[in-house]
Amino acid sequence: MRARLLEATVELLVEKGFSGTTTTLVSERAGVSRGAQLHHFPTKNDLVVAAVAHLTERRGEELAERAAELPTGSQRTRAVIQMLGDHFAGPVFTAALELWVAARTDAALLEAVAPLERVLGRETHVMTVELLGADESQPGVRELIQATLDLVRGLGLASTLGDDTRRRRKILDQWALTLDVALDKEKQ
Amino acid sequence: MRARLLEATVELLVEKGFSGTTTTLVSERAGVSRGAQLHHFPTKNDLVVAAVAHLTERRGEELAERAAELPTGSQRTRAVIQMLGDHFAGPVFTAALELWVAARTDAALLEAVAPLERVLGRETHVMTVELLGADESQPGVRELIQATLDLVRGLGLASTLGDDTRRRRKILDQWALTLDVALDKEKQ
């Protein structure tokens, strides 16, 4: 029942945005009584924060699965960047974006969202370093990894406004080439 | 009076977000009667779209002024990138972000915001190409300029959640170095 409530919440954040996501709609969508819902999640903020944490965890598992299937050799960097680009253009990012923007002007929500965001940011950074085999002890490498993640975040924001995947693909193609040169990677 | 209404709207978008920006609050803040406000802007959407268009125009003028003062020579790329980074971390971006996210789930608002966003995107792109003296006929250059703008958009989004300027500065330092190498610029 908890999982059904959380899935319904994420769906509604994507479909109707933060202000359109009401606890009544969530209980209807999940087929859960209001009483049961309030028992699990007393407030809307409890619900939306738990929902995004839940989905991010599930998505983290998906990313790990996809990471295991990445090619080695000269195509690896491009594949890693595509995986990140897809992640930041998907529904998890959209739901998180709704929360971030709402949290900007809602102190209670910000208090709940900020620690989640910090953990996620760190985990994604560590994963990207590992997947690229990057050496952060080299000058500039840490900043290039961060720039890569900020780039896909910017592309993800554009994609929520209907930016096309063709534009995104060409940018990611070029960035993979530039990043490989910048990281001075040995091609295997 | 029109300008006062638009300024008040942008201020309220930044302070209270899209859902917290009501036409009543705007008329109070601007010191304009409800009747006069409705004469200029019949709906909230009319008001918020005009407000962001207005501020973007003003900010475009500021950018042009700042562009005229950019250094030439080896520090130019870094200065251009800083100018863009500041732009996407300021109140214009925050107000626009509120509109974009609201427009994602509001078809009428999207219809008004999308053309504005396309024009702005093109203008910023053209300005960046000119400021960097980049040659878009060379392969990959167009994509690197787009990546630069998507990067500063991603950094802008992070900054609304309290991301620190120190992190941003280091990333922009590195991006400027990488971009200069990638664009194969002749240092003057």
Side-chain angles (χ1 to χ4, degrees):
Chain A
M1 181 189 292
R2 194 173 183 279
R4 278 219 311 281
L5 286 166
L6 299 179
E7 300 278 340
T9 305
V10 172
E11 282 174 28
L12 285 165
L13 281 172
V14 173
E15 284 171 33
K16 295 182 185 296
F18 182 81
S19 63
T21 299
T22 64
T23 52
T24 309
L25 278 177
V26 170
S27 61
E28 281 174 17
R29 170 83 53 118
V32 167
S33 75
R34 291 283 286 159
Q37 175 178 327
L38 289 170
H39 173 70
H40 284 286
F41 303 105
T43 71
K44 175 177 168 178
N45 276 7
D46 294 332
L47 190 58
V48 295
V49 170
V52 170
H54 162 76
L55 189 59
T56 305
E57 203 174 299
R58 224 189 54 190
R59 180 73 198 188
E61 292 162 9
E62 283 175 24
L63 274 178
E65 282 171 33
R66 198 164 153 193
E69 292 164 6
L70 287 170
T72 53
S74 66
Q75 294 307 303
R76 185 169 180 88
T77 299
R78 182 63 186 84
V80 171
I81 299 227
Q82 185 64 47
M83 188 184 100
L84 294 170
D86 291 347
H87 181 66
F88 279 82
V92 184
F93 175 78
T94 304
L97 177 64
E98 289 287 342
L99 276 189
W100 291 336
V101 170
R104 196 183 66 77
T105 51
D106 178 337
L109 186 59
L110 184 61
E111 205 174 321
V113 169
L116 180 65
E117 177 51 24
R118 274 194 296 273
V119 170
L120 269 177
R122 268 199 299 269
E123 285 178 1
T124 312
H125 184 97
V126 168
M127 186 194 72
T128 305
V129 169
E130 286 178 5
L131 291 177
L132 291 172
D135 177 2
E136 289 201 297
S137 71
Q138 297 301 310
V141 168
R142 181 173 175 74
E143 287 73 24
L144 285 167
I145 302 294
Q146 289 182 316
T148 300
L149 292 169
D150 283 300
L151 169 64
V152 290
R153 186 191 290 130
L155 288 168
L157 179 54
S159 80
T160 66
L161 266 194
D163 189 37
D164 65 312
T165 50
R166 189 161 161 275
R167 184 186 90 97
R168 196 160 69 245
R169 202 189 60 232
K170 290 171 73 175
I171 294 172
L172 295 177
D173 279 343
Q174 181 56 47
W175 181 243
L177 290 173
T178 304
L179 185 62
D180 261 341
V181 171
L183 292 177
D184 197 24
K185 278 189 72 142
E186 298 290 310
K187 296 290 193 304
Q188 282 121 37
Chain B
M1 182 187 293
R2 192 172 185 279
R4 277 219 311 281
L5 285 167
L6 298 179
E7 300 278 340
T9 305
V10 172
E11 282 175 27
L12 285 165
L13 282 172
V14 173
E15 283 171 34
K16 296 182 185 295
F18 182 81
S19 64
T21 299
T22 64
T23 52
T24 309
L25 279 178
V26 170
S27 61
E28 280 174 18
R29 169 85 52 120
V32 168
S33 76
R34 292 284 286 159
Q37 176 178 328
L38 289 171
H39 172 71
H40 284 285
F41 303 104
T43 70
K44 176 177 167 178
N45 278 6
D46 294 332
L47 190 58
V48 293
V49 171
V52 171
H54 162 77
L55 190 57
T56 306
E57 203 175 300
R58 223 188 55 189
R59 180 73 196 186
E61 293 161 8
E62 283 175 26
L63 273 178
E65 281 171 33
R66 197 162 154 196
E69 292 163 7
L70 287 170
T72 53
S74 65
Q75 294 307 303
R76 185 168 180 90
T77 300
R78 183 64 186 83
V80 170
I81 303 261
Q82 185 65 47
M83 188 184 98
L84 293 170
D86 290 348
H87 181 64
F88 280 82
V92 184
F93 175 78
T94 303
L97 177 65
E98 289 287 341
L99 274 189
W100 291 335
V101 170
R104 198 183 65 77
T105 52
D106 178 335
L109 186 58
L110 185 61
E111 206 174 321
V113 169
L116 180 65
E117 177 50 25
R118 275 195 296 274
V119 170
L120 268 178
R122 268 199 298 270
E123 285 178 359
T124 313
H125 184 96
V126 168
M127 184 193 74
T128 305
V129 169
E130 287 177 3
L131 291 177
L132 291 173
D135 177 2
E136 288 201 296
S137 69
Q138 297 300 310
V141 167
R142 182 172 174 75
E143 287 73 23
L144 285 168
I145 301 295
Q146 289 181 317
T148 300
L149 292 169
D150 283 300
L151 169 68
V152 289
R153 187 191 290 128
L155 288 169
L157 179 54
S159 80
T160 65
L161 267 193
D163 190 37
D164 65 310
T165 51
R166 190 161 161 275
R167 185 186 89 98
R168 196 160 68 244
R169 200 190 61 230
K170 290 171 73 175
I171 294 172
L172 295 177
D173 280 343
Q174 182 57 47
W175 188 269
L177 290 173
T178 304
L179 188 62
D180 261 340
V181 171
L183 293 177
D184 195 25
K185 279 191 70 142
E186 298 289 311
K187 296 290 193 304
Q188 283 122 34

